[in-house]
Amino acid sequence: DRLLGREHPVHQRWVVVDVETSGMDIASDELISIGAVAMHEDGHVLPGDSMEIVVRQGAASSRENILVHGVGVEAQLNGVDPRKAISMFLEYVSTAPMLAFHAPFDRGFLARVIKFYVNQPFDNPWLDLAELAPALYPTLNLRSLDEWLSRFGIPVSARHSAASDAFATALLASRLLPEARRQGAPSFGKMMKLARNARWLR
């Protein structure tokens, strides 16, 4: 607080993201919704700095797919115009580094729709927590997000909407980032390198 003669340290803003889609094909399936929550680089999650967008569909996804992500027919048909949704997401993210669990899927999906709707690249740096977690805890042999959440005692009651999954992933990140620093990876780039090296070793 400057008025008291002290200044808070300026933390870099990182963004944790999750997408819900009509299927697993990055090249052709539809983006249903985006959930994102910001956090400080020190691991402090910022629930007040978050967003969720349901993207308007020309036709709703299958009943089986709706059971996965919970975005109903009416919500899909009355969602935000895709071009506007992408613009809102890009404005929210800005230049922040991105985190996700199984990041190549979220990154690939978002890069494709951003290129299609607003014709620009999405080249923010990405950190895959599905690679970072086992790099930090190589003896645990855990794979899924649910397994990692359970390991750290993070509640998993509300999962499989984009917003709740992004928040759960952010809570996992809040446990992993301090451990990464303890193991000698103090920056986003060093964490990316740690995760990448562990992947090659595995």
Side-chain angles (χ1 to χ4, degrees):
D1 191 320
R2 293 174 186 272
L3 294 177
L4 298 176
R6 297 190 304 270
E7 290 190 18
H8 295 300
V10 177
H11 290 292
Q12 189 179 15
R13 177 179 178 265
W14 296 358
V15 171
V16 183
V17 69
D18 182 80
V19 299
E20 298 293 343
T21 63
S22 64
M24 300 300 290
D25 189 336
I26 289 175
S28 62
D29 281 315
E30 299 297 331
L31 177 66
I32 302 289
S33 64
I34 310 171
V37 60
M39 64 188 305
H40 285 153
E41 60 185 327
D42 65 356
H44 181 68
V45 181
L46 306 169
D49 184 359
S50 60
M51 74 174 308
E52 182 175 32
I53 304 172
V54 175
V55 181
R56 188 171 70 224
Q57 306 298 308
S61 59
S62 69
R63 181 175 179 275
E64 293 76 15
N65 180 246
I66 290 172
L67 290 173
V68 173
H69 54 62
V71 182
V73 172
E74 189 174 347
Q76 291 187 41
L77 299 181
N78 292 289
V80 179
D81 171 77
R83 188 168 277 103
K84 182 180 179 184
I86 294 304
S87 296
M88 290 166 61
F89 172 71
L90 290 173
E91 183 178 352
Y92 169 79
V93 169
S94 186
T95 58
M98 308 295 297
L99 300 88
F101 197 89
H102 292 141
F105 179 78
D106 301 86
R107 181 182 193 173
F109 231 103
L110 288 166
R112 175 175 66 87
V113 297
I114 289 167
K115 179 68 176 172
F116 181 80
Y117 285 112
V118 297
N119 194 31
Q120 69 182 64
F122 186 41
D123 49 13
N124 297 39
W126 283 76
L127 175 63
D128 188 358
L129 298 182
E131 291 186 348
L132 181 64
L136 297 173
Y137 299 95
T139 62
L140 291 184
N141 197 29
L142 305 176
R143 291 187 177 276
S144 71
L145 177 58
D146 282 329
E147 288 176 323
W148 283 104
L149 294 173
S150 177
R151 167 63 178 78
F152 287 104
I154 298 169
V156 294
S157 54
R159 285 263 283 108
H160 300 301
S161 75
S164 62
D165 281 7
F167 186 64
T169 304
L171 293 178
L172 174 61
S174 73
R175 303 295 185 90
L176 298 178
L177 301 189
E179 179 63 20
R181 290 188 169 85
R182 197 185 68 79
Q183 293 191 28
S187 66
F188 196 89
K190 292 277 176 59
M191 291 179 198
M192 289 172 63
K193 187 174 181 180
L194 176 67
R196 193 164 54 240
N197 289 346
R199 179 181 66 201
W200 292 120
L201 290 173
R202 289 198 304 275

